[in-house]
Amino acid sequence: MKTNDVILQTTTKVVFFIIFLFSIHIFFAGHYTPGGGFVGGLLTTGAIVLLLLAFDLKTIQQILPFNFTIVTGIGLLLALGTAAGSIFFNVPFFTHAFDDFTLPLFGETSLHTAMLFDSGVYLVVVGSAITIIQSIGGDD
Amino acid sequence: MQFKMFCAILTITSTYRLLGFYTLKNMDGRRILLEFVLLIFLPFVFAILVPFAYKYIKGIHTGWFVLLVPLVLFGYYLSFIPLTMDGGHAISEIKWIPTLGIAFTSYIDGLSLLFTLLITGIGSLVVLYSIFYMDKKKENLGSFYVYLLLFMTAMLGVVQSDNTMTLYLFWELTSISSFLLIGYWYTRDKSRFGALKSMMITVFGGLMMLGGFILLSIMGDTFSIRELIAQAPELVNHPYFTLALILILLGAFTKSAQFPFYIWLPDAMEAPTPVSAYLHSATMVKAGIYLVARFTPIFGTSSTWIWLVTGIGLLTLFWGSFFAVKQTDLKAILAFSTVSQLGLIMSLLGAGAISYHTTEAMFAFATYAAIFHLINHATFKGGLFMIAGIIDHETGTRDIRKLGGLMSIMPLSFTVALIGSLSMAGLPPFNGFLSKEMFLESMVALQHFELFQFDTWGILFPIVAWVASVFTFTYSLYFVLKTFLGQGKVDQLPKRPHEAPIGMLVAPVILASLVIIIFFIPNVLGKWVIKPAVMAVQPTLYGSPADINIHVSAWHGFDSVGLWLTVAIVIIGSLLYLTIPKWQPLYKIQPAKLSLNEGYDALMRGSEKGMNRLSRAFMTGLIRTYLLYMFAFLSVTVIAVLFIKDAFVVDMNSFAAITLYGALNAVILLLSIGFVVFAKSRLAAIIALGGVGYSVALFFVIFKAPDLALTQLVIETVSVALFLLAFKHLPALNEHGETKKNKVVNLIISLSVGVMVTLVALSSHSQKLIPSISQYYKDTVATEAGGGNIVNVILVDYRGFDTLFEIAVLAIAGIAVLGMIRLRVSRKETTDENK
């Protein structure tokens, strides 16, 4: 039986972006307000799960043509690279650096290497969660 | 004449010493004195070369090369005789583990020299014999001689070591090499069985002995036996003294085949005959005797020692001689006879220890007699084993019921066997007579000893000794006469018997002539070898070997007790021999099930079965059972510790006030938990679990943890979604076939785990020993880390290391799920291809 889920699919198209933007917000705001790479990553995963519910696996693989295991790997490399980068500046492993910069568009901005690390966390969370869901869901 | 011979030997050996050992030069051209402790390892090093000799020099029997080793060693060690004759000793040491005080030490005094000479001397003869006994083409000579040389090193190490740890090392090496030698014909079931049995029993004893040595080293704070002997008077009062004594005696008794550990020796007769002659009559079984003699200065003053060594020795003597007549296999008779003779030596050593308590000369005699008989036994038993081997070799059977009438066919073998047997029986003019006489006199003297209740039980000792000697006489006759005299069915034997080749006879003839020579010159032997050995066993009693006032003579006059006892032995023993067919059925009275062998088998089978049953009982293979064990253990130990340490405290003041939202939320949480536990369907349980998760998230909100609340909410959602995904693959919730009783046990254990966790949480909350470090985070979050959200800053900055590995865990989990599902599919595909 083929069900007609136009409403679900249409709503999903809108809601997906709202959740996705919210997850990006939570990710960036993490250093000052509740949130961070982990919750951000999980929210993004939630958005993708919603897509998976509304559409089928193959469609999602066409929309998001990433190999999520590679995403996981990139995330791990990013996190480890940030942590290891500090040793080139003659400071202990995992020392973060931050400072205020004046950027062309954003103006006065505080930039922090912890954000790079958090991006790694974000990518790993998204990558492995989607890997798990895709492999369990795609298995017959 | 004797002196000239002695001088000649001395010259040869000292020249050899000069040539071989003093000419090595170091870089400066100075002479290096090679430590003679290295000689212990000479057979070991030679053993490395043996396989090459065996493989590449096919024309010559490998034994000829091997023969060099014991001969050279024998010659070398002879040169120590002048030193020990004066009561001196020589020490050579190589440090092995200096920080622990473990060293390879060669300590040569009278006792170790005596054993060393036995090992190398009989070793040479046995190697010579084996050259003719072991076939060059049919047998794997390479491994035979490697094992034999390994054994020789081990034995030399045992008797020369002054360090208990290296003594133990060599002790186990004798067990291992003996195991290899007994199992030499490893394709035979009986050989493997015998090897395993001897290994089990001797290694058991060896480990006990190690325990004793460790206790001794704790008591005396040294591994050196000499230093321990020096401390002997203080050691006696130590609480570990008796335990160490018993453990060391266990080692000695298992190795020397004393009652009830003798059972491995008859089974070890599956070894090739040279091995039986060497290991199981002359050397290895005497390692236990050596141990007892060596430790007499430490333990000898104790009554436990005297009772155990003398009592077990006599029991073994009687038991072995009584059961020797039952045997029908030539080597089995000799094995039981060895057991019995070892018991004799052991009991004499025990009686010798009495001399610490009384000045009566008779007991000092006992040690002398023990060592004298030790030498005598090595000579006649070695010869007898070789003859048994010859008979086996030339007739194809060792069964005494098939043999008989070989006297005219094998006259030389018969002569040697007769000399050996009569010496074993204790008749003149053979050396066994002298030591047997001394033995009987010592045992008669025992009943007059007044300490340790010997006056009540003492009368038993000479009686048992005498009865055992009667049986010894009987089996000696039985051995030699049943084999060589009588009608015999010569033509029914597996092989056509003929006299052995001359080479095979050389070694037993030498031993037999020694048997006679020693009878005529016992005091020369006494002066050269035995008195220094007695001196080593009883160092406190004598100033020098010359003080030992013993003169052995064959004739004591008509008033000697030993003479009349011997006459009685001959008469009654002969009568017993003549009536063997009439009383042999007596042995059938003992049911087979009650024998010690049966006991050993039952122990082995029983322990295997018992262990099997035990592990089957608790290793059910069900994870449920294992979880029960773990949880039960955890809750019981933690609750027990809480109460033993009196650690359970509840401090009401540290609790925060209960809020309305908190209480409401707790009710929701409890309801959902109850729903999870009592749910009948899986779907309901999953949903209730979601309820638990969301109410926990609510708790996080109430307790002001927004990050946790967010994460908990999202993770709960994702995991419920995963549960639902997996749900469609799972079967319906079933009962696992659990009975009511199981459920009650589960309930009790889960309740106790709950109680345990609650108690621990309450107690640890009430007792905070150190203040929290969170103030530091609050103070530095903006200045040091440039952030505002403490939780996130802790996660990525202060303690980012944890996060790094947590995301690694997550990645591994993702890849593992992928791998599990993909690999399962691919395996299915490959099996399909195979179809």
Side-chain angles (χ1 to χ4, degrees), chain B residues 100-136:
Chain B
L100 297 179
I102 295 176
F104 287 110
T105 320
S106 171
Y107 173 70
I108 295 193
D109 63 354
L111 187 65
S112 42
L113 184 64
L114 166 76
F115 275 90
T116 305
L117 290 178
L118 271 183
I119 293 160
T120 49
I122 308 253
S124 317
L125 294 176
V126 162
V127 172
L128 181 67
Y129 175 75
S130 72
I131 291 170
F132 297 92
Y133 187 84
M134 306 294 281
D135 195 287
K136 195 163 67 181

Side-chain angles (χ1 to χ4, degrees), chain B residues 805-822:
Chain B
F805 287 100
E806 273 154 25
I807 58 175
V809 167
L810 202 61
I812 291 166
I815 291 162
V817 169
L818 184 74
M820 262 161 30
I821 287 164
R822 285 275 166 82

Side-chain angles (χ1 to χ4, degrees), chain B residues 370-393:
Chain B
I371 290 165
F372 191 28
H373 194 71
L374 180 99
I375 300 172
N376 295 345
H377 178 246
T379 53
F380 66 68
K381 193 53 68 63
L384 285 178
F385 263 113
M386 290 176 186
I387 293 301
I390 287 173
I391 292 169
D392 187 17
H393 211 263

Side-chain angles (χ1 to χ4, degrees), chain A residues 103-122:
Chain A
L103 295 178
L105 203 60
F106 297 92
E108 189 80 357
T109 317
S110 166
L111 289 183
H112 201 307
T113 49
M115 190 50 75
L116 285 173
F117 181 74
D118 232 7
S119 325
V121 176
Y122 176 88

